Amino acid sequence: MARRRRIYEGKAKVLFEGPEPGTLVQYFKDDASAFNNAKTGTITGKGVLNNRISEYLMLKLAEIGIPTHFVRRLNMREQLIREVEIIPVEIVVRNVAAGSICERFGIAEGTPLPRSIVEYYYKADDLNDPLVAEEHITAFGWSTPQELDEIMHMSLRVNDFLTGLLVTVGIRLVDFKLEYGRLWNNDEMRIVLADEISPDNCRLWDLKTNEKMDKDRFRRDLGGVEEAYQEVARRLGILPESAPGDLKGPAVMQ
Ligand code: TMP
């Protein structure tokens, strides 16, 4: 089979040309990075788990009417997605103070926020993804005010839905990052959820113990990174079938 054309390679994923026009194949790597690539490493089996977790969550969101780029999972590490024009803004929704908001405002980690807070960051690695206001987004033309309004409302719906879904499996959704894209159909355009939703871009804490079950374990050298991602997948009931070199198979009982 002819080698597929690589369209884009990011820190955790690669995008290849898809089988039909308007589609792409999103390949999930085990590579991990933090602090704008200052720290890099490998989380064994992460790509397989994130492929499954993101598939599961995107399909659940589609069921409540959130449009997404996800089409279907192709194999252990790849999913077919619709090609979208990515809006260069990362949307972070926070329920509990953690990470950069703690440093920015001097809040203790774990402090519940008075209400969910939506923040915007400009996607620009060379500038360290700066926090921006709606004014910057619309004035610089990264999105229109109407698009941003839709993005904000969709993000809050995603937050409400995922918060509820995760509570049922004993996980607190502390915060997460979303990306959106424009999906064109002739002259019509829709805003759709893109990228991925996984422990790479969410903070997930055990509801009872507050133990971290996300990429903060890698960022802060807490150990047990692979196990944390596996536990999220296990609780969601989606631990993937094993494949050589990807994940350990089920333990054989003696
Ligand atoms: P922060 O506390 O570092 O600003 O991160 C907030 C949330 O957004 C956290 O769940 C991690 C996620 N995030 C990404 O997925 N990519 C990024 O580049 C950044 C800065 C945060």
Side-chain angles (χ1 to χ4, degrees):
M1 203 179 84
R3 192 85 189 97
R4 284 173 313 199
R5 197 158 65 90
R6 185 186 301 239
I7 305 287
Y8 172 82
E9 176 147 10
K11 294 163 203 156
K13 298 185 290 297
V14 188
L15 294 177
F16 295 98
E17 197 170 55
E20 302 139 33
T23 64
L24 296 174
V25 173
Q26 179 163 251
Y27 176 95
F28 288 75
K29 300 191 277 188
D30 284 348
D31 297 353
S33 69
F35 314 118
N36 198 16
N37 252 352
K39 180 182 170 87
T40 57
T42 303
I43 302 174
T44 307
K46 172 172 85 80
V48 178
L49 292 163
N50 283 357
N51 186 22
R52 291 298 294 256
I53 294 170
S54 197
E55 170 196 22
Y56 179 81
L57 297 177
M58 291 271 183
L59 286 175
K60 287 280 177 198
L61 288 166
E63 280 176 20
I64 64 152
I66 304 283
T68 84
H69 73 163
F70 181 83
V71 180
R72 66 174 181 275
R73 190 167 60 84
L74 297 171
N75 54 49
M76 298 278 283
R77 287 183 183 271
E78 293 178 325
Q79 48 183 243
L80 186 68
I81 58 169
R82 298 211 180 281
E83 186 170 22
V84 299
E85 188 183 293
I86 287 285
I87 292 171
V89 176
E90 298 187 344
I91 290 82
V92 169
V93 184
R94 301 179 187 272
N95 301 305
V96 175
S100 68
I101 198 171
C102 295
E103 292 159 36
R104 187 169 293 119
F105 300 113
I107 309 171
E109 182 175 82
T111 309
L113 296 169
R115 61 177 169 83
S116 301
I117 293 176
V118 181
E119 295 175 340
Y120 305 108
Y121 293 85
Y122 178 43
K123 263 170 78 73
D125 284 344
D126 48 340
L127 301 173
N128 235 337
D129 293 354
L131 178 73
V132 293
E134 282 191 41
E135 277 288 286
H136 300 115
I137 298 172
T138 56
F140 292 130
W142 302 326
S143 96
T144 66
Q146 294 75 18
E147 287 172 340
L148 198 54
D149 201 46
E150 198 179 335
I151 285 171
M152 200 258 289
H153 283 105
M154 255 201 258
S155 301
L156 288 173
R157 280 194 72 206
V158 170
N159 183 45
D160 284 347
F161 180 78
L162 292 185
T163 296
L165 185 147
L166 289 164
V167 160
T168 65
V169 297
I171 295 175
R172 188 189 318 279
L173 181 58
V174 169
D175 60 32
F176 59 97
K177 184 265 293 182
L178 299 175
E179 293 187 28
Y180 291 87
R182 299 184 186 94
L183 179 62
W184 291 94
N185 184 8
N186 298 320
D187 281 347
E188 276 187 23
M189 186 276 290
R190 277 197 306 160
I191 299 287
V192 304
L193 189 57
D195 194 48
E196 69 177 300
I197 309 177
S198 73
D200 266 13
N201 47 33
C202 301
R203 284 199 173 90
L204 307 168
W205 294 359
D206 182 89
L207 211 48
K208 289 206 189 101
T209 65
N210 281 337
E211 197 182 339
K212 297 182 198 312
M213 304 171 70
D214 55 60
K215 204 165 90 175
D216 269 352
R217 301 204 72 85
F218 167 78
R219 291 188 190 98
R220 302 181 192 185
D221 294 320
L222 298 177
V225 191
E226 288 90 350
E227 292 78 3
Y229 280 60
Q230 281 177 29
E231 179 61 13
V232 172
R234 193 190 62 74
R235 290 198 193 179
L236 291 171
I238 52 172
L239 248 191
E241 63 274 20
S242 62
D246 273 317
L247 282 170
K248 288 192 197 80
V252 177
M253 304 299 285
Q254 297 290 329

